[in-house]
Amino acid sequence: MTEDQIARPARLDWRTRILLYGYGFFDGLILIYPVYLLYFRDQGLSETEIATLLMLWPISSLLFELPSGYLADRFSKKTILVVGHVAYLGCFAVWHVLPTFTGFGIGLALWGMRGALSSGAFRSFLYEEMEARGTRNAFVRVLGQINALKWTAMLVAYSVGPALMTFGFTLVLALTATAAVIALAALLLVERKASPVADDDTAGFGGFFRALNSHVVREPSVLRVVLFGGALLGTGAVDEYWPLLGTDLGVPETALGLFLGAIMGAQALGDLLAHRLAAQRPLFVGAAVAGAGALLLFGVAFGTLYVALPAVVVFAMLYQCAVTANSGLLHDRVEGSVRATAASILGFASNIISILLFYAIGQISERAGVPLAIACAGGVFLVIGLAGIRMEQKAGRLAGERGGKDA
């Protein structure tokens, strides 16, 4: 991408832009998120029962991840997104009608299903709609802006949700469902320009998997992005430990919300800057991850409270910037007939890695404390980033050699 393209990017029409921004904000306005575990406890659930329920979330996502990508590529991505959103609303309905262990389990399974249905489909839907409108070069910029609005909405949820609990969980649940309905309405109003189904010979299972093998498995440039992205997203599950890290480093409980808010603000900024990173050579994405990993490793392992916390905030910005930029690389490189499936494979791999990461961090934390466990995760990010740089450098040399032979 040239500097001129960066300076004057193609733009979506204002109506589509507003609808997509509205979808991003209200989809992220999950007011129950900071309080739903407290509600589980208030309903008499034990710590073991709560832990069991939380396991249903990633398990449900794993079960639906790969089928959702296939369905999104073979049918309408927008329809798959709508189905996922209805399942999401179903979670809230079940929790209201059946506030028991079983009801909470069904709800979390529906929420996990929604995550799987939307993980690959939304980015693919956005990319193809922008491509149909002649604005594909602005994909990372718009995706970053939508994600930034989601982080902003999450920050609002964390700020407002606990306060609203004084009026009862039913109100918080109703307001969350209302926000989800508004997000669904915005999605439905986005006028579809792209063909809902790829117009090629991959309609059957055989043709589809041949295309998947050809365009992903045997296409090194795509496979690199999928493997790198899966490792990056999976290890990114470390963010679930930020509250524990802050507490162990000595952040007062009254200031913990400010720390988490700073992290969300940094992630929003990273999304807004992602198009700048995507405009550079692909190996710069790996460099950003390596730098973020080194910062987390040394900042947490050897720093004091006043060094570690800023290191985590800057890490969050660099990490989110790299994730969104890598999404742009994936969608630019993969064919439309298997685009959502490729993203789902990335998501499936990240879920597996997340489960392994949670186990490893839990074991290290019990023996040596949360800060050391997070520092070790920083080392993993450093390795992932260096591997990404190495893969892109090797690909560049091979491309140069082929070019020289052809010349």
Side-chain angles (χ1 to χ4, degrees):
M1 189 179 296
T2 67
E3 291 295 327
D4 186 60
Q5 286 174 308
I6 296 173
R8 295 191 300 274
R11 291 186 176 274
L12 284 172
D13 62 278
W14 68 268
R15 181 180 182 275
T16 302
R17 186 180 289 267
I18 289 174
L19 289 172
L20 289 171
Y21 288 169
Y23 171 80
F25 180 82
F26 286 103
D27 192 46
L29 194 60
I30 311 171
L31 294 167
I32 64 166
Y33 197 72
V35 297
Y36 75 97
L37 291 182
L38 299 177
Y39 182 65
F40 287 0
R41 186 190 297 165
D42 289 345
Q43 295 302 305
L45 271 63
S46 67
E47 297 297 329
T48 300
E49 287 175 321
I50 292 174
T52 303
L53 286 174
L54 290 177
M55 290 177 61
L56 292 174
W57 206 336
I59 290 173
S60 176
S61 292
L62 280 173
L63 290 175
F64 288 102
E65 189 69 65
L66 295 180
S68 71
Y70 171 79
L71 292 172
D73 280 323
R74 298 289 20 100
F75 302 100
S76 165
K77 294 177 177 64
K78 187 174 180 179
T79 299
I80 295 300
L81 288 171
V82 171
V83 170
H85 224 86
V86 172
Y88 179 51
L89 288 168
C91 166
F92 305 142
V94 172
W95 283 3
H96 178 67
V97 174
L98 193 63
T100 63
F101 176 81
T102 301
F104 293 142
I106 294 171
L108 284 175
L110 288 171
W111 198 338
M113 173 184 171
R114 184 277 165 112
L117 289 172
S118 63
S119 63
F122 178 71
R123 287 173 174 80
S124 299
F125 169 75
L126 177 64
Y127 186 90
E128 291 174 7
E129 289 302 323
M130 293 188 68
E131 186 176 42
R133 289 167 167 80
T135 59
R136 185 183 67 179
N137 286 343
F139 168 72
V140 175
R141 181 190 294 270
V142 173
L143 176 62
Q145 291 168 344
I146 293 171
N147 287 342
L149 285 168
K150 285 190 175 184
W151 290 117
T152 302
M154 287 180 64
L155 184 56
V156 172
Y158 269 85
S159 302
V160 177
L164 289 173
M165 274 293 285
T166 58
F167 300 100
F169 186 76
T170 300
L171 175 65
V172 182
L173 192 64
L175 291 174
T176 304
T178 300
V181 170
I182 294 173
L184 177 58
L187 177 65
L188 289 170
L189 289 171
V190 174
E191 184 181 357
R192 192 168 59 192
K193 297 287 187 181
S195 172
V197 183
D199 185 18
D200 54 23
D201 61 351
T202 63
F205 275 105
F208 176 80
F209 285 108
R210 283 194 298 272
L212 184 64
N213 182 60
S214 173
H215 296 314
V216 178
V217 179
R218 295 185 178 276
E219 181 55 55
S221 65
V222 176
L223 191 59
R224 283 196 303 273
V225 177
V226 169
L227 294 176
F228 177 79
L232 185 60
L233 276 180
T235 312
V238 70
D239 63 2
E240 298 291 338
Y241 285 87
W242 295 148
L244 295 178
L245 175 65
T247 301
D248 283 13
L249 288 174
V251 178
E253 288 190 11
T254 54
L256 191 59
L258 294 176
F259 172 51
L260 297 177
I263 292 174
M264 291 182 190
Q267 289 172 306
L269 180 59
D271 269 314
L272 292 175
L273 295 175
H275 69 282
R276 295 289 180 183
L277 181 60
Q280 308 302 318
R281 294 171 59 195
L283 61 84
F284 276 63
V285 178
V289 175
L295 193 63
L296 189 64
L297 169 60
F298 296 109
V300 174
F302 305 111
T304 63
L305 171 66
Y306 298 103
V307 173
L309 297 190
V312 170
V313 172
V314 178
F315 162 83
M317 181 194 71
L318 291 173
Y319 169 78
Q320 194 61 38
C321 186
V323 167
T324 302
N326 190 71
S327 183
L329 284 175
L330 173 65
H331 287 82
D332 276 339
R333 292 180 178 183
V334 74
E335 292 290 332
S337 59
V338 292
R339 183 172 284 125
T341 304
S344 288
I345 292 173
L346 188 157
F348 182 84
S350 73
N351 279 326
I352 296 293
I353 293 171
S354 293
I355 293 171
L356 296 175
L357 180 81
F358 284 142
Y359 177 78
I361 289 181
Q363 293 298 310
I364 297 172
S365 296
E366 284 187 7
R367 289 166 173 76
V370 174
L372 182 60
I374 299 302
C376 290
V380 175
F381 280 110
L382 177 59
V383 171
I384 292 171
L386 292 175
I389 294 172
R390 176 64 177 167
M391 287 189 295
E392 291 296 341
Q393 285 178 331
K394 183 177 180 181
R397 285 198 300 269
L398 290 175
E401 292 173 2
R402 287 196 298 268
K405 291 177 182 179
D406 291 341

